[in-house]
Amino acid sequence: MKEKKIKKNDERCALQEILGVIGGKWSMSIIYALFPGTKRFSELERLIPGINTRMLVKELKNMEANGIVVRNVYATVPPTVEYTLTAKGAQLEPIINDLYKWGLEYIS
Amino acid sequence: MKEKKIKKNDERCALQEILGVIGGKWSMSIIYALFPGTKRFSELERLIPGINTRMLVKELKNMEANGIVVRNVYATVPPTVEYTLTAKGAQLEPIINDLYKWGLEYIS
DNA sequence: CTGTATCCTCATCGATACTG
DNA sequence: CAGTATCGATGAGGATACAG
């Protein structure tokens, strides 16, 4: 791969980095779904209407890479994979709830 | 309006609507810049490194349409245009600050 | 000073099919 | 069940020139 200029990391604005972590179209919905506790992959898929497999996988991977969720695999047949919020991810709960309340009051 | 019971489904949609309002790449930076008070167009452009005219105009228009900022034009020469957060926009301050603090703690 | 008007690139997202 | 692999569409975002 040629050295290509990475535009995304050019700017170091913290707010924009945060958006890279939780600004994805489905990120907040997934985090929201995980607030009550651990969920299996299929549960998340069912709990979040409109999302598709590819996006769920993609967002979960991104969040795992950013330390927001942990992924646990159990060697069962058929396979079982569970996702849980880390402490870092759980601390988003009040923030996302506030954001949600703000939206309810002003957007709906 | 009277349906107090909110289905999980609707909650998730709301989160995505919120992203449509403040999830733009520069939205939060602009709102953040407006917390201290009214700013002129050129001030915003200067305060937000990396943004370009087109995006600043675009986001400001979007925010104005969503009732987050108000736009005031003064018929001076050269023209003066000021942007101010509405009450709706100002209520985002604690939320964005919390988000920012979260990012500082975990992303940096 | 405060925007428009173009043109363009690239990431994001969706749909579908397939696999261990 | 929990993902991969591909392809295509869309549009967000950037660069630049120009206008009122």
Side-chain angles (χ1 to χ4, degrees):
Chain A
M1 243 202 219
K2 279 257 172 148
E3 50 163 322
K4 207 163 188 183
K5 212 178 177 185
I6 305 169
K7 296 187 199 163
K8 296 199 80 169
N9 291 342
D10 273 352
E11 272 105 48
R12 292 286 174 63
C13 182
L15 285 172
Q16 293 185 12
E17 287 205 42
I18 292 169
L19 282 182
V21 179
I22 59 163
K25 180 173 179 181
W26 301 101
S27 307
M28 285 203 198
S29 301
I30 297 171
I31 297 172
Y32 198 94
L34 286 174
F35 282 155
T38 299
K39 294 277 181 300
R40 297 186 58 174
F41 185 87
S42 53
E43 286 184 288
L44 289 173
E45 206 163 16
R46 187 166 33 76
L47 284 169
I48 305 170
I51 201 171
N52 61 30
T53 307
R54 181 178 158 277
M55 289 315 295
L56 182 52
V57 172
K58 195 174 179 181
E59 300 272 36
L60 283 170
K61 275 187 176 168
N62 182 41
M63 289 176 180
E64 193 192 3
N66 284 288
I68 291 192
V69 300
V70 281
R71 179 174 178 270
N72 275 82
V73 185
Y74 301 94
T76 57
V77 177
T80 300
V81 182
E82 289 182 345
Y83 292 89
T84 311
L85 286 178
T86 61
K88 171 178 171 180
Q91 289 201 11
L92 285 170
E93 181 158 12
I95 300 177
I96 291 184
N97 279 335
D98 284 349
L99 208 51
Y100 177 69
K101 274 181 276 180
W102 179 89
L104 273 192
E105 185 174 357
Y106 289 116
I107 297 187
S108 306
Chain B
M1 68 205 306
K2 43 188 31 224
E3 285 215 33
K4 186 69 174 23
K5 183 179 179 183
I6 300 165
K7 295 164 80 176
K8 294 280 182 184
N9 193 340
D10 296 330
E11 296 180 9
R12 306 234 157 68
C13 291
L15 284 172
Q16 293 184 11
E17 287 203 45
I18 292 168
L19 282 181
V21 178
I22 59 162
K25 178 172 179 183
W26 301 100
S27 306
M28 285 203 199
S29 301
I30 297 172
I31 297 171
Y32 199 91
L34 285 175
F35 282 154
T38 299
K39 294 277 182 298
R40 296 186 59 174
F41 184 88
S42 52
E43 284 183 290
L44 289 173
E45 208 164 15
R46 187 166 32 78
L47 283 169
I48 305 170
I51 200 171
N52 61 28
T53 307
R54 182 179 159 277
M55 290 314 296
L56 182 53
V57 172
K58 196 176 179 180
E59 300 271 37
L60 282 171
K61 275 186 177 170
N62 181 41
M63 289 177 179
E64 193 192 5
N66 284 288
I68 291 192
V69 300
V70 280
R71 179 173 177 271
N72 275 83
V73 186
Y74 300 96
T76 57
V77 177
T80 301
V81 182
E82 290 183 346
Y83 293 88
T84 312
L85 286 178
T86 60
K88 172 178 172 180
Q91 290 200 10
L92 286 169
E93 179 159 12
I95 301 176
I96 292 184
N97 278 335
D98 284 350
L99 208 51
Y100 182 75
K101 274 182 277 180
W102 179 89
L104 276 190
E105 184 173 357
Y106 288 117
I107 297 188
S108 312

